[in-house]
Amino acid sequence: MINTGDTAFMMICAALVFIMTPGLAFFYGGLVSRKNVLTIMMQSFISMGVVTILWFIIGFSLTFGPDVHGLVGGLKYMFLHGVGMEANPDYGSTIPFMSFFSYQQMFAILTPALITGAFADRVNFKSYLVFLVLWSLLIYIPLAHWVWGGGFLQQMGVVDFAGGIVVHASAGLAALASVFFVGKRTVVSKVEMEPHNVTHVALGTALLWFGWFGFNPGSQLAAAATTDQIAISHVFLTTNLAACAGGFFALTVSWWRYGKPSLSFTLNGVLAGLVGITAGCDCVSATGAVLIGAICGIVMIFSVDFIDKVLRIDDPVGASSVHGVCGFLGTILTGLFSTSEGVFYTGTFGFFGAQLFGAVIVGCWAAGMGFIIFKSLDKIHGLRVPARIEEEGLDIYEHGESAYN
């Protein structure tokens, strides 16, 4: 039976997750040079259009349709056939199935946009549009089905409550693969390699943090029953604790390493904590949430340094570290800190092994397939803009507009 309170809760949560994509546009926009800010913001906003249409036509069905050998969903729900006001007991027994469609649509929109920060300032817009379709069909949709739609990882007991590996690890590790292939930015001046507007980064972080209170608690899919109210209150608490711990410990470590309390690193630390807690926000204690947030905030600092200075990979916004490393790490830490199945509470390693296996499978698929997609696009159409356009800025040459006049 449809419950009014549950339905209203899910629509509010869907709206909160929706605002995360514009938040990401501001976050990434502030971290790139002033001549490319519109380009990267457009990459986030156009994901809403392209991915929504794809999700409506076939994406939702391939993700949440009847399971086919644990690998993909069937075609039952193409064009929203059979997706109406009745509830589907497998995906929210007290909300319209259409509400679940809308909620999951916001996840599908956000995920490929997360990758764009890694190859900022270098990729042409036409190739990016094709990438959105291929990434969704070949990476996001299969992974979401494996973990959430009845696929083989869900059958094995892998837990990813709200997208630690499905969304964040997959996007971050694909981002790492993309910059391996795309290569470094053309350096015009050191100033142009620095964030052009950290206030935009702060605004983007605030919107993302706000949206995360729909991203994680909304995955409960209900709020009216007492048990659901307890569950979403717990998820809200662990989500915020991890964010605060991530920001605080990223600030502390960056201050110690670089001699200044960096706002950029603090904000990235907040996101690292949020990413890290996403997989297990429903099953770890408050203390566990603080520890996961702190670990991810600290690891993020060292990961950014390692990727930049040791691997010499040009990831302008730290997407590989914040989303890839912390999404992967948070999923594994859930195997340690889960109060019901974690190593620290049960002394057994079965659940931990499942989490590790799931994270590795998702990471390998996202990185490997992401590299193949980029290589194929480069062969067919050409991926990177010419050096002259890169030096002078993509905003004018790709979109005919400038952020600052």
mmCIF file of all heavy atoms in Angstrom, residues 68 74 77 124 223 259 266 366:
data_model
loop_
_atom_site.group_PDB
_atom_site.id
_atom_site.type_symbol
_atom_site.label_atom_id
_atom_site.label_comp_id
_atom_site.label_asym_id
_atom_site.label_seq_id
_atom_site.Cartn_x
_atom_site.Cartn_y
_atom_site.Cartn_z
ATOM 1 N N VAL A 68 19.028 -11.076 -15.261
ATOM 2 C CA VAL A 68 19.435 -12.011 -16.307
ATOM 3 C C VAL A 68 20.825 -12.534 -15.965
ATOM 4 O O VAL A 68 21.832 -11.839 -16.133
ATOM 5 C CB VAL A 68 19.446 -11.340 -17.700
ATOM 6 C CG1 VAL A 68 19.886 -12.352 -18.770
ATOM 7 C CG2 VAL A 68 18.077 -10.775 -18.041
ATOM 8 N N GLY A 74 16.505 -7.099 -17.329
ATOM 9 C CA GLY A 74 15.822 -7.322 -18.597
ATOM 10 C C GLY A 74 15.228 -6.039 -19.163
ATOM 11 O O GLY A 74 15.456 -4.934 -18.666
ATOM 12 N N TYR A 77 11.028 -2.863 -18.319
ATOM 13 C CA TYR A 77 10.634 -1.500 -17.946
ATOM 14 C C TYR A 77 11.080 -0.440 -18.953
ATOM 15 O O TYR A 77 11.147 0.743 -18.610
ATOM 16 C CB TYR A 77 11.196 -1.171 -16.561
ATOM 17 C CG TYR A 77 10.757 -2.108 -15.467
ATOM 18 C CD1 TYR A 77 11.685 -2.670 -14.586
ATOM 19 C CD2 TYR A 77 9.415 -2.452 -15.316
ATOM 20 C CE1 TYR A 77 11.282 -3.539 -13.581
ATOM 21 C CE2 TYR A 77 9.005 -3.327 -14.325
ATOM 22 C CZ TYR A 77 9.942 -3.868 -13.452
ATOM 23 O OH TYR A 77 9.537 -4.736 -12.464
ATOM 24 N N ASN A 124 37.195 17.354 -25.737
ATOM 25 C CA ASN A 124 36.205 18.100 -26.524
ATOM 26 C C ASN A 124 34.791 17.657 -26.181
ATOM 27 O O ASN A 124 34.557 16.516 -25.752
ATOM 28 C CB ASN A 124 36.492 17.993 -28.026
ATOM 29 C CG ASN A 124 36.194 16.613 -28.587
ATOM 30 O OD1 ASN A 124 35.043 16.199 -28.718
ATOM 31 N ND2 ASN A 124 37.257 15.876 -28.936
ATOM 32 N N ALA A 223 10.053 6.316 5.397
ATOM 33 C CA ALA A 223 10.292 7.128 6.593
ATOM 34 C C ALA A 223 9.125 7.114 7.569
ATOM 35 O O ALA A 223 9.237 7.668 8.662
ATOM 36 C CB ALA A 223 10.577 8.577 6.191
ATOM 37 N N GLY A 259 52.071 23.571 5.992
ATOM 38 C CA GLY A 259 52.316 24.769 6.776
ATOM 39 C C GLY A 259 51.189 25.777 6.816
ATOM 40 O O GLY A 259 51.295 26.794 7.505
ATOM 41 N N THR A 266 40.533 21.122 3.088
ATOM 42 C CA THR A 266 39.482 20.890 4.079
ATOM 43 C C THR A 266 38.176 20.492 3.403
ATOM 44 O O THR A 266 37.500 19.538 3.820
ATOM 45 C CB THR A 266 39.260 22.142 4.938
ATOM 46 O OG1 THR A 266 40.493 22.499 5.582
ATOM 47 C CG2 THR A 266 38.195 21.912 5.998
ATOM 48 N N ALA A 366 35.305 -0.709 -13.794
ATOM 49 C CA ALA A 366 35.169 0.713 -14.098
ATOM 50 C C ALA A 366 36.435 1.265 -14.739
ATOM 51 O O ALA A 366 36.367 1.988 -15.739
ATOM 52 C CB ALA A 366 34.837 1.491 -12.823
#
